[in-house]
Structure formats: structure tokens, C-alpha cells
Amino acid sequence: MRNILYLVHRLPYPPNKGDKVRSFNLLKYLSVENNVYLGTFVDDPHDEKYIPIVKKLCKSSYFEKINRKYSKIRSLIGIASGDALTLSYYNSLSFHDWVADVVNNNKIDAVVIFSSAMGQFVNAGLYSRMLVDFVDVDSQKWAEYSDQKYFPMSWLFRRESRLLLKHERFLALEAKHSFFVTEKERDLFSTYAPESALKTSALNNGVDLDFFSQDKIFKSPFNSSEDNFISIVFTGAMDYWPNIDAVIWFVENVFSLLIKRNSNFRFYIVGRSPSQTVLNLKSKYIFVTGTVDDVRPYLQFATVVVAPLRIARGVQNKILEAMSMAKPVVASLECVRAIDSTDGIDILAAESSMDFIEHIEFLVKNKYQAEKIGRAARVKVQERYSWNSNLKKIDEYLNVDEVKDIL
């Protein structure tokens, strides 16, 4: 069996947000035929109880708790060093020491880096065996953030975009191969790093089709006795700025008009750690759940699932999960473009607030069409988004290079 060093910026469990869904499924896949040496940070105290689950998948593992407030201060202090804030945020001497110990005491055949921030822990001698899962072009995410902010945050985010891109280009050039979540993200990165274009490819996300199945029977989480109750559901981590921006925009530009036209609409914002701005949205028509044990009941009983993201990088797992449960989804155009889906057949794309309103009202008034779109969505996910079939693409790059072991 191969020995694989797998470095992840956030504990890959529970799979309750996009990056953790991907990193956990990659861990599961790697652990089947390899000895996995996992190093990861734990940034949420509530996740600590899941460490034993992750340990069972690993030959050896290291979990370092990270204090978000302290790390943010440390990253800001790091401005003086000229490094990207992302690198300073995760930099840790103890983590460096653990990686060095693993490498010195084990023959590491391959290194898999999940997110660019973890590349700082890899010794140059391992670059020829290093695979990087960038997932998205994070540097461009910061560039988009800068367009949404005023000075000085706009300046800070532009700085982060520039320095993080420099780091991404370095890793991609040194790595054996790099992956992005879609061909679109891969092509975008190639425009900024043409020197590495031949060493990058797309590694699509997937869905646990058995877990997110329309055949599961749940109790309604809404507990509403109101007649003609119409539920609109959004799922996602609610301390993540693109999700926060999405629900605020949706409430102000879509839902506020929908409720005037039909007072039976209810909007459910389902996800962990809602920010204060999200909590402030609560009303008799808008519900903010916070952390839930299971999002599937909310999806199953949703009339419509929405994904009105204005800042969207790559494939949105929240969309695939809703589609897997045969729900009609109305999503922003950029989200739809990121997945192999057909507008009007298995999903509805919206480019404006009026598009969202018209699509949602159409689905409510045409139950048969809504169910037809939901069924087509499930079929699309079954055909295109199986985790196992997608992750198999990484196998050819895990073969050990015939190079002298210099460690």
C-alpha cells in the first residue's frame, strides 16, 4: 500500500459545508487502498467530537486546534512580512514539526494538498510527488470580494488576491499535478498561470446518492398548520460571506416582492453559525435555523430550493444535494454554468431578481412541471456526479515517480 500524506486546512468532518464534503470524500477514497497520514486544523470546537470518526480512516493523524480570533490577528500582523493573509492565518511551527516527523520516519509515496494554504508545510523534496487540490481559484475570490467592499477592506482584499495568486502559481508549477472543481475554474487558472496549464485538470464534485435520496422518509421540519404554506429553502454555512451576501440580496430583492404578491411564502435559511446580519433577517416570514442535525428534511419538504449566489466559485454542493433529492432548484446563472445541467430541464437559471420571482412563481403554480424538473435533476446527478467515479481520476497521478528518494 502507498503511504500518502494528506494535508487539509479544516477537519474533513462532518461533511456539512462545501469544502468539507469534498475533503471528506477524498479522504474516504484515499483510505481504501492507501495508508493515509492526515494533518488538519480544527477551527470549530463543535467538530472536536468527530475526531474519532476521522481517525479510523487514517494510519496516523494530527489535529491542531485553531483559534479563529487569534489567527486573524496573526494574519494581520503578517502583513509586515509581505505574505498572503491566508498563509499567515494557518502558519504553525507545531504543524511544521508534525509534517517533518512523518516524512522523516515514513516513506511517503505521495502528498495530497487540499487548499493552497497547506502547501506551505511541504518540504521541497516532496514537490515531485505533490498533488494539489485547489478546488477553486481562491485568489480570484478575494478579487471579487474587493469589488464588494470599500477602502480599506477593498485594498486588503486586492492585496490578498495578488499575493495568494503568486503562491498558487508557485505550487502549481512545482506540483506533479493540480486539480480544480470544474473545467471553467481550471481554464480560469490557466489564464493566470499558463506555465502550468498542462499540469492541471478538473476533478468534479459528487453527491452521496444514497444519503441524499428522495426515497428517504422524514418528518416535516416546518411544523406549519397554515393553509397553502409555500416553503423556499436555502442551505449553507451562514458565517461564509458569499452565503451571507446571497440571502441578504435574496430577501431584499426577491422575497420582499414575493411576500407582497403572496403572503403564504416562507423563507428558511438553513445552516450553521449564522452571522448577526443574517439573524437580523428573521421575521414572521423568514426563519433562520442555525445548525441542524440534518438538512435533508428541509430539502425534502421544500417547495423550491434557491441558490442566489452572486459570488460563486465552482460547483455548489448545496445545489447538487437538492437536485439529488429531486427538488426543483432556482439558482443564479453563474451557479448553473458551473455544473453540467440544462436550464429549463433539470434546473432553472436566474440572472436577475425578476427571473427568480418568475421562476419561483412558475414552480408554485405548476406542480407537475416542478416535479418533472426535480426528477430530471435526480437523473442528472446520478449520471454525472458520483463521488467514486469522479475521484478515480486521481489514481493515475498517485503512482510513485521513479526518482531517488532524497529524504
Side-chain angles (χ1 to χ4, degrees), residues 186-389:
R186 191 205 74 83
D187 292 344
L188 175 64
F189 184 72
S190 294
T191 63
Y192 292 103
E195 67 279 2
S196 299
L198 296 179
K199 296 199 300 176
T200 62
S201 59
L203 189 66
N204 282 332
N205 274 354
V207 179
D208 187 331
L209 294 166
D210 292 329
F211 187 79
F212 289 98
S213 171
Q214 78 275 29
D215 295 329
K216 304 287 185 181
I217 304 299
F218 299 100
K219 180 181 178 181
S220 173
F222 303 133
N223 295 321
S224 175
S225 59
E226 298 175 283
D227 293 332
N228 302 316
F229 178 78
I230 305 169
S231 54
I232 301 174
V233 171
F234 175 92
T235 64
M238 295 317 304
D239 56 351
Y240 181 50
W241 168 245
N243 289 341
I244 296 172
D245 177 75
V247 296
I248 292 174
W249 179 86
F250 183 80
V251 168
E252 293 178 349
N253 297 277
V254 178
F255 191 75
S256 60
L257 296 177
L258 280 173
I259 204 70
K260 289 180 180 179
R261 295 158 75 137
N262 187 337
S263 61
N264 290 319
F265 279 108
R266 301 291 182 269
F267 184 37
Y268 280 80
I269 301 170
V270 184
R272 61 191 284 271
S273 306
S275 67
Q276 189 58 52
T277 52
V278 173
L279 291 173
N280 291 341
L281 296 175
K282 288 195 294 186
S283 71
K284 64 180 293 186
Y285 304 110
I286 301 172
F287 301 84
V288 181
T289 69
T291 300
V292 296
D293 293 332
D294 195 338
V295 300
R296 292 176 298 173
Y298 291 89
L299 294 175
Q300 185 174 83
F301 287 92
T303 305
V304 182
V305 176
V306 295
L309 284 91
R310 299 192 299 166
I311 304 172
R313 303 233 62 85
V315 174
Q316 297 295 316
N317 287 80
K318 59 173 68 68
I319 295 178
L320 298 183
E321 291 165 358
M323 292 175 68
S324 183
M325 293 194 71
K327 303 308 297 186
V329 178
V330 182
S332 59
L333 184 60
E334 284 303 307
C335 289
V336 174
R337 285 173 174 168
I339 60 179
D340 181 16
S341 200
T342 306
D343 181 22
I345 302 298
D346 44 41
I347 197 169
L348 293 178
E351 197 168 2
S352 67
S353 58
M354 284 309 301
D355 287 342
F356 271 100
I357 292 171
E358 291 172 2
H359 289 334
I360 291 170
E361 290 183 333
F362 169 80
L363 292 170
V364 171
K365 294 175 182 177
N366 297 274
K367 185 177 180 181
Y368 172 77
Q369 288 297 323
E371 292 177 348
K372 184 178 179 180
I373 290 172
R375 289 194 298 271
R378 170 73 181 182
V379 171
K380 175 63 71 174
V381 171
Q382 288 175 317
E383 293 175 345
R384 188 71 177 83
Y385 290 100
S386 162
W387 272 118
N388 193 57
S389 61

Side-chain angles (χ1 to χ4, degrees), residues 3-5 103 106-113 122-132 174-177 397-407:
N3 291 332
I4 294 181
L5 176 62
V103 171
N106 303 276
K107 185 180 182 300
I108 298 300
D109 298 308
V111 182
V112 178
I113 302 297
V122 178
N123 185 292
L126 285 173
Y127 288 157
S128 64
R129 287 170 260 169
M130 180 176 70
L131 306 179
V132 183
E174 296 295 331
K176 181 178 181 180
H177 202 81
Y397 303 104
L398 288 174
N399 294 327
V400 182
D401 287 330
E402 294 182 357
V403 294
K404 181 180 179 180
D405 190 348
I406 62 174
L407 299 176

